[in-house]
Amino acid sequence: MQQESARRSNRDRTEATRADLVAAARKLFTEKSYAETGTPEIVTAAGVTRGALYHHFADKQALFAAVVEQEAQAVAQEIDRASPPSLEARDALIAGSDAYLAAMRVPGRTRLLLLDGPAVLGRAAMDAIDDRHGNRSLREGLVAAMRANRMTRLPAEALTALLASAFDRAALAIEAGASAEDYRAVLMALIDGLSPGRPQAPGPARTR
Amino acid sequence: MQQESARRSNRDRTEATRADLVAAARKLFTEKSYAETGTPEIVTAAGVTRGALYHHFADKQALFAAVVEQEAQAVAQEIDRASPPSLEARDALIAGSDAYLAAMRVPGRTRLLLLDGPAVLGRAAMDAIDDRHGNRSLREGLVAAMRANRMTRLPAEALTALLASAFDRAALAIEAGASAEDYRAVLMALIDGLSPGRPQAPGPARTR
DNA sequence: ATTAACATACAGGCTGCATGTATGCAACAG
DNA sequence: CTGTTGCATACATGCAGCCTGTATGTTAAT
């Protein structure tokens, strides 16, 4: 138990305050929405004042960006852990898909990353964040599959973006209460449809 | 040219004022964003006061919902005009796809319908709006294709949502300056991948 | 005369900034 | 090596402007 009001180096103070602010903001931004969360509430939860917030972040949006970045990284980490490079191309894609859907079940993550994120930061900024984290592995997996002739050759950029958006939408639907099996089945069908050799997967395909 | 301050029935006044407000809000919400547009600015552009706005709409969000509804209907109308029921299943899907991408090129529509809409109204409310307008025809087209055995049987709800989200993302990317041909090619590949009989489309498939 | 359609005025809250203060830190003097 | 001096960093507090939603007043329709 270290002394609370002991002397701390400036570096430590900055790091701690920033971490407290991001943690408090993350909690509130996932419980409520970006618009419904005010900076007074955030700083109270973090145990600092608004002066500290505006000293470390340019504005409320910059704090939000820091939260999104951290959360996107957490999701990417869970995916990477679930799909090691030892797996074969298609298996890695499937494992990564399931890991993504599982990661997005953390409450509030879909709103943070899929609703508020694009609206507040813009699609371009969100693309940059995604490319730094989650989308990178997806894209590498797709390129690898295409190189191995396991998949129809298509523009990698576009294919990555469109598949990623389908995953995003699946995560939103599942959180809203839709059938996870249905959405998973469609996602797999979309992926398998891109394999030239395999006409269709023999999985359970009900029309409901 | 009718007299401006002539007597108007209450019904006409309401209709005209609501239309003016929605039109002014549409213009500003597409030029800027929902958050950056204030109600004072909207009512000034519409030539009324804030009292009129809050008389006709519960709050700023309700006015936004009206704008989104109108814009979604306009998009759906353009799609329906481009894909008459006379076309065969797959041709209708392709024609509708191109019409959608063309309709979404109207400046500001992507932000209104794809970024601010879901964030402000929530994904559930946006789903309801989409189902009333655009997604209905897409879903009917997909079900028709599946019934005719031109497409792998999959849960219609999920398939519609995921394909629609891919289209949305393509519209966003194209507006951001990405290659429309690339995204169109991937969309077509995704659709054709769902047809059991057709292993792959012979179109131009570069990897870039 | 009653109600609908507004206009005006007001209260509360929030964001961003500007100013004030205390603490860490680096260099130099002794 | 130590104490002091000067500056930068890390905050806290107070203020100005704006915005949203509501309550009240006024005019026109029915």
Side-chain angles (χ1 to χ4, degrees), chain B residues 147-162:
Chain B
R147 283 237 177 77
N149 276 333
R150 315 284 287 187
M151 184 173 282
T152 310
R153 275 174 207 277
L154 291 164
E157 197 84 23
L159 179 59
T160 306
L162 295 193

PDB file of all heavy atoms in Angstrom, chain B residues 147-162:
ATOM      1  N   ARG B 147     -36.303 -18.778 -53.458  1.00  0.00           N
ATOM      2  CA  ARG B 147     -37.438 -19.620 -53.826  1.00  0.00           C
ATOM      3  C   ARG B 147     -37.220 -20.259 -55.187  1.00  0.00           C
ATOM      4  O   ARG B 147     -37.576 -21.395 -55.424  1.00  0.00           O
ATOM      5  CB  ARG B 147     -38.709 -18.769 -53.882  1.00  0.00           C
ATOM      6  CG  ARG B 147     -39.275 -18.431 -52.531  1.00  0.00           C
ATOM      7  CD  ARG B 147     -40.732 -18.913 -52.393  1.00  0.00           C
ATOM      8  NE  ARG B 147     -41.209 -18.618 -51.043  1.00  0.00           N
ATOM      9  CZ  ARG B 147     -41.572 -17.400 -50.651  1.00  0.00           C
ATOM     10  NH1 ARG B 147     -41.545 -16.390 -51.503  1.00  0.00           N
ATOM     11  NH2 ARG B 147     -41.981 -17.213 -49.419  1.00  0.00           N
ATOM     12  N   ALA B 148     -36.588 -19.499 -56.088  1.00  0.00           N
ATOM     13  CA  ALA B 148     -36.368 -20.000 -57.443  1.00  0.00           C
ATOM     14  C   ALA B 148     -35.133 -20.876 -57.502  1.00  0.00           C
ATOM     15  O   ALA B 148     -34.663 -21.221 -58.587  1.00  0.00           O
ATOM     16  CB  ALA B 148     -36.246 -18.831 -58.415  1.00  0.00           C
ATOM     17  N   ASN B 149     -34.576 -21.198 -56.326  1.00  0.00           N
ATOM     18  CA  ASN B 149     -33.378 -22.034 -56.256  1.00  0.00           C
ATOM     19  C   ASN B 149     -32.188 -21.423 -56.979  1.00  0.00           C
ATOM     20  O   ASN B 149     -31.297 -22.118 -57.433  1.00  0.00           O
ATOM     21  CB  ASN B 149     -33.652 -23.434 -56.826  1.00  0.00           C
ATOM     22  CG  ASN B 149     -34.280 -24.323 -55.771  1.00  0.00           C
ATOM     23  OD1 ASN B 149     -34.065 -24.120 -54.571  1.00  0.00           O
ATOM     24  ND2 ASN B 149     -35.057 -25.294 -56.212  1.00  0.00           N
ATOM     25  N   ARG B 150     -32.195 -20.102 -57.131  1.00  0.00           N
ATOM     26  CA  ARG B 150     -31.054 -19.442 -57.732  1.00  0.00           C
ATOM     27  C   ARG B 150     -30.054 -19.055 -56.649  1.00  0.00           C
ATOM     28  O   ARG B 150     -29.023 -18.474 -56.943  1.00  0.00           O
ATOM     29  CB  ARG B 150     -31.479 -18.153 -58.454  1.00  0.00           C
ATOM     30  CG  ARG B 150     -32.721 -18.291 -59.302  1.00  0.00           C
ATOM     31  CD  ARG B 150     -32.442 -19.009 -60.566  1.00  0.00           C
ATOM     32  NE  ARG B 150     -31.686 -18.160 -61.505  1.00  0.00           N
ATOM     33  CZ  ARG B 150     -31.419 -18.510 -62.747  1.00  0.00           C
ATOM     34  NH1 ARG B 150     -31.813 -19.702 -63.177  1.00  0.00           N
ATOM     35  NH2 ARG B 150     -30.756 -17.713 -63.542  1.00  0.00           N
ATOM     36  N   MET B 151     -30.388 -19.329 -55.421  1.00  0.00           N
ATOM     37  CA  MET B 151     -29.532 -18.863 -54.328  1.00  0.00           C
ATOM     38  C   MET B 151     -29.616 -19.828 -53.152  1.00  0.00           C
ATOM     39  O   MET B 151     -30.674 -20.394 -52.881  1.00  0.00           O
ATOM     40  CB  MET B 151     -29.996 -17.464 -53.890  1.00  0.00           C
ATOM     41  CG  MET B 151     -29.128 -16.836 -52.840  1.00  0.00           C
ATOM     42  SD  MET B 151     -29.616 -15.131 -52.531  1.00  0.00           S
ATOM     43  CE  MET B 151     -28.904 -14.286 -53.922  1.00  0.00           C
ATOM     44  N   THR B 152     -28.466 -20.007 -52.513  1.00  0.00           N
ATOM     45  CA  THR B 152     -28.432 -20.867 -51.332  1.00  0.00           C
ATOM     46  C   THR B 152     -29.474 -20.402 -50.326  1.00  0.00           C
ATOM     47  O   THR B 152     -29.634 -19.209 -50.097  1.00  0.00           O
ATOM     48  CB  THR B 152     -27.044 -20.789 -50.686  1.00  0.00           C
ATOM     49  OG1 THR B 152     -26.066 -20.989 -51.691  1.00  0.00           O
ATOM     50  CG2 THR B 152     -26.884 -21.833 -49.611  1.00  0.00           C
ATOM     51  N   ARG B 153     -30.155 -21.337 -49.728  1.00  0.00           N
ATOM     52  CA  ARG B 153     -31.179 -20.967 -48.754  1.00  0.00           C
ATOM     53  C   ARG B 153     -30.521 -20.584 -47.432  1.00  0.00           C
ATOM     54  O   ARG B 153     -29.742 -21.329 -46.861  1.00  0.00           O
ATOM     55  CB  ARG B 153     -32.150 -22.128 -48.543  1.00  0.00           C
ATOM     56  CG  ARG B 153     -33.234 -22.135 -49.570  1.00  0.00           C
ATOM     57  CD  ARG B 153     -34.119 -23.362 -49.480  1.00  0.00           C
ATOM     58  NE  ARG B 153     -34.683 -23.631 -50.796  1.00  0.00           N
ATOM     59  CZ  ARG B 153     -35.766 -23.002 -51.262  1.00  0.00           C
ATOM     60  NH1 ARG B 153     -36.366 -22.098 -50.531  1.00  0.00           N
ATOM     61  NH2 ARG B 153     -36.235 -23.291 -52.461  1.00  0.00           N
ATOM     62  N   LEU B 154     -30.871 -19.404 -46.993  1.00  0.00           N
ATOM     63  CA  LEU B 154     -30.303 -18.868 -45.752  1.00  0.00           C
ATOM     64  C   LEU B 154     -31.385 -18.088 -45.029  1.00  0.00           C
ATOM     65  O   LEU B 154     -32.404 -17.737 -45.636  1.00  0.00           O
ATOM     66  CB  LEU B 154     -29.128 -17.940 -46.065  1.00  0.00           C
ATOM     67  CG  LEU B 154     -27.867 -18.605 -46.610  1.00  0.00           C
ATOM     68  CD1 LEU B 154     -26.949 -17.575 -47.229  1.00  0.00           C
ATOM     69  CD2 LEU B 154     -27.152 -19.353 -45.497  1.00  0.00           C
ATOM     70  N   PRO B 155     -31.183 -17.834 -43.745  1.00  0.00           N
ATOM     71  CA  PRO B 155     -32.160 -17.017 -43.025  1.00  0.00           C
ATOM     72  C   PRO B 155     -32.311 -15.654 -43.688  1.00  0.00           C
ATOM     73  O   PRO B 155     -31.337 -14.907 -43.831  1.00  0.00           O
ATOM     74  CB  PRO B 155     -31.545 -16.884 -41.633  1.00  0.00           C
ATOM     75  CG  PRO B 155     -30.626 -18.043 -41.504  1.00  0.00           C
ATOM     76  CD  PRO B 155     -30.122 -18.327 -42.880  1.00  0.00           C
ATOM     77  N   ALA B 156     -33.526 -15.348 -44.113  1.00  0.00           N
ATOM     78  CA  ALA B 156     -33.748 -14.144 -44.924  1.00  0.00           C
ATOM     79  C   ALA B 156     -33.416 -12.875 -44.150  1.00  0.00           C
ATOM     80  O   ALA B 156     -32.773 -11.960 -44.671  1.00  0.00           O
ATOM     81  CB  ALA B 156     -35.193 -14.113 -45.413  1.00  0.00           C
ATOM     82  N   GLU B 157     -33.848 -12.830 -42.910  1.00  0.00           N
ATOM     83  CA  GLU B 157     -33.618 -11.634 -42.095  1.00  0.00           C
ATOM     84  C   GLU B 157     -32.129 -11.295 -42.036  1.00  0.00           C
ATOM     85  O   GLU B 157     -31.700 -10.178 -42.349  1.00  0.00           O
ATOM     86  CB  GLU B 157     -34.128 -11.893 -40.677  1.00  0.00           C
ATOM     87  CG  GLU B 157     -34.330 -10.661 -39.867  1.00  0.00           C
ATOM     88  CD  GLU B 157     -35.687 -10.047 -40.165  1.00  0.00           C
ATOM     89  OE1 GLU B 157     -36.597 -10.788 -40.628  1.00  0.00           O
ATOM     90  OE2 GLU B 157     -35.827  -8.843 -39.974  1.00  0.00           O
ATOM     91  N   ALA B 158     -31.356 -12.296 -41.655  1.00  0.00           N
ATOM     92  CA  ALA B 158     -29.918 -12.076 -41.475  1.00  0.00           C
ATOM     93  C   ALA B 158     -29.248 -11.763 -42.806  1.00  0.00           C
ATOM     94  O   ALA B 158     -28.424 -10.844 -42.902  1.00  0.00           O
ATOM     95  CB  ALA B 158     -29.276 -13.307 -40.836  1.00  0.00           C
ATOM     96  N   LEU B 159     -29.601 -12.490 -43.830  1.00  0.00           N
ATOM     97  CA  LEU B 159     -28.975 -12.249 -45.129  1.00  0.00           C
ATOM     98  C   LEU B 159     -29.267 -10.828 -45.611  1.00  0.00           C
ATOM     99  O   LEU B 159     -28.371 -10.126 -46.098  1.00  0.00           O
ATOM    100  CB  LEU B 159     -29.500 -13.274 -46.147  1.00  0.00           C
ATOM    101  CG  LEU B 159     -28.953 -13.121 -47.568  1.00  0.00           C
ATOM    102  CD1 LEU B 159     -27.433 -13.235 -47.568  1.00  0.00           C
ATOM    103  CD2 LEU B 159     -29.563 -14.165 -48.495  1.00  0.00           C
ATOM    104  N   THR B 160     -30.492 -10.410 -45.467  1.00  0.00           N
ATOM    105  CA  THR B 160     -30.835  -9.048 -45.879  1.00  0.00           C
ATOM    106  C   THR B 160     -30.012  -8.020 -45.112  1.00  0.00           C
ATOM    107  O   THR B 160     -29.424  -7.106 -45.702  1.00  0.00           O
ATOM    108  CB  THR B 160     -32.329  -8.775 -45.631  1.00  0.00           C
ATOM    109  OG1 THR B 160     -33.109  -9.780 -46.263  1.00  0.00           O
ATOM    110  CG2 THR B 160     -32.719  -7.415 -46.162  1.00  0.00           C
ATOM    111  N   ALA B 161     -29.957  -8.166 -43.813  1.00  0.00           N
ATOM    112  CA  ALA B 161     -29.235  -7.186 -43.000  1.00  0.00           C
ATOM    113  C   ALA B 161     -27.760  -7.138 -43.368  1.00  0.00           C
ATOM    114  O   ALA B 161     -27.180  -6.054 -43.512  1.00  0.00           O
ATOM    115  CB  ALA B 161     -29.413  -7.518 -41.515  1.00  0.00           C
ATOM    116  N   LEU B 162     -27.151  -8.291 -43.550  1.00  0.00           N
ATOM    117  CA  LEU B 162     -25.704  -8.308 -43.809  1.00  0.00           C
ATOM    118  C   LEU B 162     -25.389  -7.771 -45.196  1.00  0.00           C
ATOM    119  O   LEU B 162     -24.420  -7.006 -45.367  1.00  0.00           O
ATOM    120  CB  LEU B 162     -25.153  -9.718 -43.633  1.00  0.00           C
ATOM    121  CG  LEU B 162     -25.238 -10.260 -42.206  1.00  0.00           C
ATOM    122  CD1 LEU B 162     -24.387 -11.516 -42.052  1.00  0.00           C
ATOM    123  CD2 LEU B 162     -24.798  -9.208 -41.195  1.00  0.00           C
TER     124      LEU B 162
END
